[in-house]
Amino acid sequence: MPTPPVLSEPVSPEPARPSALHTRGAAKLLIGAVASDVARLGAGLRMRHVTKLIISVLALAMLVLSVTAMAMLWALYQVPLDAQSGLAGSSVVVEAANGQPLGRVGPLSDMARRGDFPNILVKAVISIEDRRFYSHWGFDPWAIIRAARANWAAGTVVEGGSTIPQQLAKLQLVGNERSMNRKLREALTAAWLNLRLGKEEVLTRYLNSVYMGAGAFGMSAAARTYFDKRLSELTLAEAAMLAGLIQAPTRYDPIRNLDAARARAAVVLDTMVETGAITAQAASAAKSAPATPRPSVQVARGGGWFAEWIAKSELPKIAGHLKRTMRVRTTLEPEVQRVAEEAVREAIDRDGKRLGFTQGALVAMRPDGSVIAMVGGRDYNKSQFNRAADAQRQAGSTFKIFVYYAALLNGYSPESSIDASPVTLGKWTPENYGGPRYGHMSLSNAFAHSINTAAVRLAMTVGLNKVTAAARELGLTAPLKEVPSMALGSNDVTLLDMTGAFASVRAGRPKLEPWGIAAFSADAGALRTLGAPAAPANTLQQRDALTRLLHDVVDHGTGREASLGPGVAGKTGTSQDYHDAWFIGFNDDLVVGVWVGNDDQSPMRGVTGGSVPAQIWKRFVNAATPLVRARTQPQPAVPTNAEPSATAPAQTPNPCDMEACAARYHSFRSSDCTYQPWHG
């Protein structure tokens, strides 16, 4: 019988004992595996950390950019981003009828291109005003810190930290208010200008707009004002003096304070050596031959009522409001102007205190309306208010010229009998000077003796509307209230306008407007002649009869103090309570108006138009008539149609505003854009 198999556990062979070499290999494998796992874990952690860090940085950058953008928007809010200059208005260089310079009215500016500024001037400005100009971003923190330290040490403000872009921002955009708010706007705006315009454009705008004193804006205007030179002609010493002016134009004005200007220029030269702009030898040479101002007569600041009237009133009528330098040849005659000023000043000095008046005014013109003298007060240096052209005062009895002219136009004659008896209109009862009462008298006698009751009755009989129409025909444009008292001059008018009305009578033509510009040009171009306004086709009706009435006033009426013999005609005027006193009249050569009174309208002590004003008129006309006859007419520039001579500049066609010029001057010829002289 076979033997059954024995069931038992399988027997595993006994493992072999490992050697030392095998043990070290296993350990390395284990350590490598663990290190690999740790490395993978660390890399993951670092990546997440870096990612978070990048996200944080980006978020912070976005926050900074957002804050910066908001700050820029705040700084530039309501700022005129297209501003080109800090100038206000244009400059007018005024000349007398004979070409004599009368000076400049308004700010002087000459816009130059970047290439027009010499390097030596640019280096001088950058060295003294902003030596890190080409390296900062519009504002310079280091300069601010340096200035703060210097000011702290000195105990006062001795140094500023503003850069050129900051100064430009202050000049043109953010203003000059002293506040931290404004200073922050200035810095941010400067950074924006620096980014948007670039360094060279910022520098150009700054050099063209910085105020240099004496009404000059920009370096080109300053070079003309102080040295009568173009920019390209400036020396190192002159460039340093101009650069030194920027800090304090009044304090370092070389015309008024040459020593201070030269000392400041020396500081600029030393700074230029420090910045490497020039050598020490060049600075020493410039100091040994310092700049000497040679003021330009043509662009020096002018002072006078006539020049102001031309620049601010007359020129805009024909040339518009131009932002450039204008040259104007006027009708003013210097010798006549001198006589006029003396006549007014002498009367105020002699009688003003005794009779209670402090001011006077005078306008003198030729029969064609060209103004040859204008006095707006006692002393222009003390008061620039023009009492001849701008003061609105009651005309008194000089206004009666319109009442009587209206009567002549409506059938009256100098011999007509009119009622001068007392009259009451409502609650108003006009009285005659001195209180006398009259009955009927001739129109001529009533006018000569300036009878108030006669003028009021005549105005009411003819019609107040016709009195207004007569005033308009003689050129008076002032608003007129048609009330009975208008016959006695209760409406406010100017001396210039009233004198123009008398000039209309003298010339025998309606609406002869006073004028003062004989020729003008823009930006140093050729002068364009204007001449007198052309005469209208119609003549003044009843001119001879009205002139006869005016002669009677001087011959045997209230204006006897103005008599210079036959040929003088005029009218006196005195407002209520002696507030104003007038005399306006003419002879063969002149039409002259005179006013005296007080700026506060306080009453004078019995001064009437037939006293002080008539005396001033007589003294002036007696002295001025020979001067006027020596010059039979104003001497404007060479007429447009004339052939150029060796001494006269050639006339060249200039663009013009035909609509404006034709409306202002009737001698304008639109076919070839020229102005034709008119000699009456």
Side-chain angles (χ1 to χ4, degrees), residues 212-513:
M212 301 296 291
F217 287 82
M219 288 295 171
S220 181
R224 291 180 60 196
T225 298
Y226 295 113
F227 302 114
D228 200 13
K229 285 186 174 183
R230 295 188 294 270
L231 286 170
S232 60
E233 299 172 334
L234 291 173
T235 65
L236 172 58
E238 292 165 345
M241 186 171 283
L242 291 182
L245 272 172
I246 296 174
Q247 185 186 70
T250 302
R251 186 192 314 162
Y252 300 125
D253 183 344
I255 298 175
R256 298 184 178 183
N257 197 348
L258 182 57
D259 290 341
R262 286 177 170 173
R264 177 63 178 168
V267 173
V268 174
L269 292 169
D270 291 339
T271 306
M272 293 177 74
V273 173
E274 292 177 13
T275 59
I278 59 173
T279 65
Q281 292 79 6
S284 179
K287 290 178 184 178
S288 63
T292 300
R294 298 175 181 83
S296 169
V297 178
Q298 283 73 23
V299 300
R301 257 183 171 168
W305 298 284
F306 179 85
E308 294 276 352
W309 172 63
I310 289 293
K312 297 180 180 180
S313 178
E314 292 303 285
L315 185 59
K317 294 178 183 178
I318 61 173
H321 295 278
L322 302 178
K323 299 295 183 180
R324 50 182 171 174
T325 300
M326 302 289 292
R327 176 189 170 201
V328 178
R329 178 75 56 82
T330 71
T331 56
L332 182 129
E333 300 185 18
E335 285 299 309
V336 178
Q337 175 69 21
R338 179 185 58 79
V339 170
E341 292 176 0
E342 289 177 355
V344 172
R345 183 171 56 250
E346 180 185 84
I348 296 174
D349 292 345
R350 184 188 66 237
D351 299 323
K353 187 175 182 179
R354 178 174 59 88
L355 297 177
F357 65 93
T358 58
Q359 291 293 347
L362 184 151
V363 174
M365 59 187 73
R366 290 178 178 270
D368 65 354
S370 58
V371 179
I372 60 175
M374 178 180 287
V375 180
R378 166 65 178 79
D379 187 341
Y380 178 81
N381 293 324
K382 294 181 179 179
S383 173
Q384 289 76 51
F385 179 60
N386 193 336
R387 297 160 187 84
D390 299 330
Q392 300 277 344
R393 309 301 292 258
Q394 288 190 353
S397 292
T398 56
F399 195 88
K400 292 175 182 175
I401 187 175
F402 307 122
V403 176
Y404 282 78
Y405 182 48
L408 293 172
L409 292 175
N410 285 273
Y412 287 81
S413 72
E415 293 78 20
S416 297
S417 178
I418 60 174
D419 187 0
S421 62
V423 59
T424 296
L425 299 169
K427 296 182 179 181
W428 181 56
T429 301
E431 296 182 355
N432 296 310
Y433 178 70
R437 293 170 174 253
Y438 302 94
H440 281 74
M441 60 174 56
S442 69
L443 186 142
S444 174
N445 197 32
F447 187 76
H449 295 280
S450 201
I451 307 303
N452 290 339
T453 51
V456 172
R457 284 187 175 277
L458 191 61
M460 298 304 293
T461 302
V462 172
L464 298 180
N465 62 325
K466 292 184 178 179
V467 173
T468 297
R472 300 297 183 228
E473 185 176 349
L474 292 180
L476 191 69
T477 59
L480 299 176
K481 293 181 180 179
E482 293 183 352
V483 294
S485 62
M486 75 180 297
L488 306 184
S490 61
N491 284 292
D492 290 341
V493 295
T494 68
L495 177 62
L496 180 64
D497 288 345
M498 286 297 294
T499 307
F502 279 72
S504 290
V505 179
R506 169 64 184 81
R509 51 152 294 186
K511 299 180 180 179
L512 178 57
E513 183 179 357

Side-chain angles (χ1 to χ4, degrees), residues 64-147:
V64 171
L65 288 175
S66 298
V67 171
T68 302
M70 292 176 64
M72 283 293 187
L73 289 173
W74 169 77
L76 300 176
Y77 178 66
Q78 291 185 338
V79 165
L81 302 184
D82 59 345
Q84 295 294 317
S85 70
L87 307 183
S90 59
S91 176
V92 182
V93 179
V94 185
E95 299 175 356
N98 60 3
Q100 175 183 327
L102 298 177
R104 167 177 50 84
V105 178
L108 179 65
S109 62
D110 287 328
M111 304 302 289
R113 297 170 299 180
R114 173 63 181 87
D116 295 333
F117 297 101
N119 287 334
I120 199 66
L121 177 61
V122 173
K123 291 178 179 179
V125 172
I126 290 177
S127 295
I128 196 65
E129 291 296 318
D130 188 3
R131 62 177 64 188
R132 284 169 35 85
F133 173 72
Y134 283 107
S135 60
H136 60 62
W137 292 353
F139 61 92
D140 188 352
W142 296 112
I144 296 173
I145 295 172
R146 184 180 66 248

Side-chain angles (χ1 to χ4, degrees), residues 368 515 518 528-535 633-634 636-642 665-669 674-680:
D368 65 354
W515 58 284
R528 180 176 296 284
T529 301
L530 296 181
Q633 62 182 14
V638 178
T640 306
N641 296 341
Y665 287 104
H666 298 286
S667 56
F668 175 75
R669 189 170 68 191
T674 61
Y675 299 85
Q676 306 305 308
W678 177 78
H679 304 298

